[in-house]
């Protein structure tokens, strides 16, 4: 499971094994090779937990995702939870207040587009 999830997270970020090893080594000063990463992805070698944590950081996913304990990378799961929480709050507001918030969001979005 770890190997499959590592490969999926890596390819979704558009990284080669070589590039992931390079980023990892720059960030953590380690000697992780693309060969070792390949062994991880092909389930021929298991990493130390510190390597799993570091890979999760580099790939911006949770350790639980890499280990197969969570189906969604943490970033996506967190965004989904936030979206659901906000939608729940909006549903409890009056139509007038929802419209006000919608207008504020549109204004903020337009400001972001100008940057």
């Amino acid at each position: 499971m770890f190997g499959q999830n590592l490969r999926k997270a890596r390819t979704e970020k558009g990284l080669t094994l070589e590039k992931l090893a390079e980023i990892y080594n720059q960030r953590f000063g380690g000697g992780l090779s693309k060969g070792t990463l390949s062994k991880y992805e092909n389930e021929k070698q298991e990493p130390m937990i510190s390597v799993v944590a570091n890979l999760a950081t580099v790939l911006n996913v949770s350790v639980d995702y890499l280990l197969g304990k969570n189906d969604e990378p943490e970033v996506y799961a967190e965004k989904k939870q936030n979206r659901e929480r906000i939608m729940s709050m909006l549903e409890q507001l009056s139509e007038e207040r929802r419209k006000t918030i919608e207008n504020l969001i549109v204004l903020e979005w337009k400001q972001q587009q100008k940057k």
Side-chain angles (χ1 to χ4, degrees):
M1 184 60 64
F2 170 78
Q4 291 172 351
N5 289 345
L6 174 60
R7 178 178 286 126
K8 184 176 179 188
R10 176 182 61 78
T11 57
E12 284 180 357
K13 301 281 190 252
L15 299 173
T16 63
L17 289 169
E18 189 171 2
K19 187 64 178 174
L20 177 56
E22 180 184 320
I23 294 168
Y24 182 99
N25 292 332
Q26 286 175 350
R27 186 147 186 197
F28 298 104
L32 188 63
S33 70
K34 71 177 187 174
T36 300
L37 285 169
S38 177
K39 288 178 185 175
Y40 295 160
E41 287 187 0
N42 291 302
E43 307 285 346
K44 294 182 189 241
Q45 184 176 335
E46 290 187 18
M48 295 187 314
I49 192 64
S50 60
V51 173
V52 175
N54 292 344
L55 286 168
T57 299
V58 169
L59 295 168
N60 199 27
V61 297
S62 68
V63 170
D64 281 348
Y65 172 75
L66 286 179
L67 296 176
K69 308 254 184 223
N70 184 348
D71 290 340
E72 294 184 65
E74 187 172 295
V75 173
Y76 302 121
E78 186 178 325
K79 284 182 181 179
K80 184 178 177 182
Q81 282 179 329
N82 286 341
R83 189 177 300 118
E84 289 171 356
R85 184 176 54 84
I86 290 167
M87 292 305 293
S88 174
M89 287 187 281
L90 284 172
E91 289 170 357
Q92 296 175 36
L93 297 175
S94 68
E95 183 64 32
E96 181 182 337
R97 290 189 184 251
R98 274 195 301 266
K99 206 61 164 157
T100 300
I101 290 171
E102 181 182 338
N103 290 336
L104 288 171
I105 291 169
V106 169
L107 286 172
E108 180 61 28
W109 180 81
K110 286 180 180 179
Q111 288 296 319
Q112 289 293 319
Q113 299 304 307
K114 291 178 183 178
K115 292 182 181 179

